[in-house]
Amino acid sequence: MAETDTSNRSRRSERSRQAILTATRELISEVGYAKVSIEAIAARAGVGKQTIYRWWPSKGAVIFDSFLALSEGTDTDVTLPDTGDLRADLTLVMRATVAEFADPDFENPIRALNTEIINNPDLAEQYRRQLAHPVEEAKKARLRSAQQAGQLDADADLDLVLEVLYAPLFQRWLLRSGPLTPEYADSLVDTTLRAFAP
């Protein structure tokens, strides 16, 4: 009997957690980051504020987990395509990245998360450790393969290669200074490959 009670509580807790994460993403999309509050999230999710604070210490932490939840259930082993053709592989990845950044369902939570990261060093470290670092390592693994195949300068600083490839996209997105199109993604790949040609 006690086991059943524990199981029911666990299911209720997971339902509440998912409701909170969904409510957070919905509110960010609907009213923007600045107007989202713990009170509003609790009301939308149908839980008490104390339920949220039991699991998360701040609004930023809830936003971070709501963003992580978008990728729950997907393969956590991050790898990039490696067909042997670096240009084709990078073009595929950059076009997908540009499309993701232009998608409102992803853009609003990402903007909210970046606002929190700027102002919260602990959250910035958590983001770097849980999201950014694994993805960067996967990208570097693909670039190392290209170096070994003679498609990329063997002495290239891979951190710098990634910055040249991604930083202009991030700046354009952050400042809303231009369209995020497949053609723009292609131009970033072309520029990077010219800059670090063998």
Side-chain angles (χ1 to χ4, degrees):
M1 186 67 173
E3 208 169 288
T4 303
D5 290 345
T6 302
S7 177
N8 287 339
R9 274 198 305 274
S10 178
R11 278 197 297 275
R12 281 195 304 272
S13 290
E14 183 55 24
R15 277 198 303 271
S16 294
R17 178 181 167 275
Q18 289 302 325
I20 291 164
L21 297 176
T22 299
T24 302
R25 287 193 301 274
E26 288 174 353
L27 285 166
I28 289 168
S29 294
E30 291 169 18
V31 303
Y33 164 76
K35 293 182 180 175
V36 173
S37 65
I38 293 294
E39 291 79 5
I41 294 169
R44 172 69 63 97
V47 301
K49 283 193 306 182
Q50 68 277 9
T51 301
I52 295 176
Y53 283 120
R54 187 165 58 238
W55 290 325
W56 295 281
S58 66
K59 180 172 85 168
V62 183
I63 290 170
F64 180 71
D65 274 0
S66 76
F67 182 74
L68 276 181
L70 290 173
S71 60
E72 277 182 2
T74 60
D75 186 1
T76 54
D77 183 23
V78 182
T79 56
L80 266 64
D82 191 348
T83 64
D85 182 339
L86 180 62
R87 180 179 298 278
D89 293 343
L90 289 182
T91 297
L92 179 70
V93 169
M94 289 304 292
R95 282 185 173 209
T97 304
V98 164
E100 184 176 78
F101 271 63
D103 179 351
D105 287 341
F106 280 84
E107 181 187 14
N108 291 325
I110 294 170
R111 283 192 183 278
L113 180 61
N114 275 277
T115 300
E116 286 294 329
I117 286 171
I118 288 167
N119 296 303
N120 186 332
D122 292 337
L123 193 64
E125 170 56 25
Q126 185 181 2
Y127 173 80
R128 191 201 64 75
R129 188 178 65 253
Q130 287 184 246
L131 277 179
H133 182 71
V135 173
E136 284 172 7
E137 287 307 306
K139 291 171 184 173
K140 287 181 191 176
R142 177 61 188 95
L143 295 177
R144 283 188 204 96
S145 172
Q147 285 178 316
Q148 292 161 4
Q151 297 176 337
L152 197 67
D153 180 356
D155 297 322
D157 177 332
L158 298 185
D159 288 313
L160 184 57
V161 174
L162 291 177
E163 286 178 11
V164 170
L165 185 59
Y166 284 93
L169 165 61
F170 188 74
Q171 179 173 318
R172 178 176 283 207
W173 169 79
L174 188 65
L175 302 178
R176 304 179 198 269
S177 59
L180 300 178
T181 63
E183 294 74 22
Y184 180 63
D186 295 351
S187 71
L188 293 176
V189 172
D190 289 343
T191 300
T192 302
L193 292 181
R194 276 198 306 273
F196 297 98

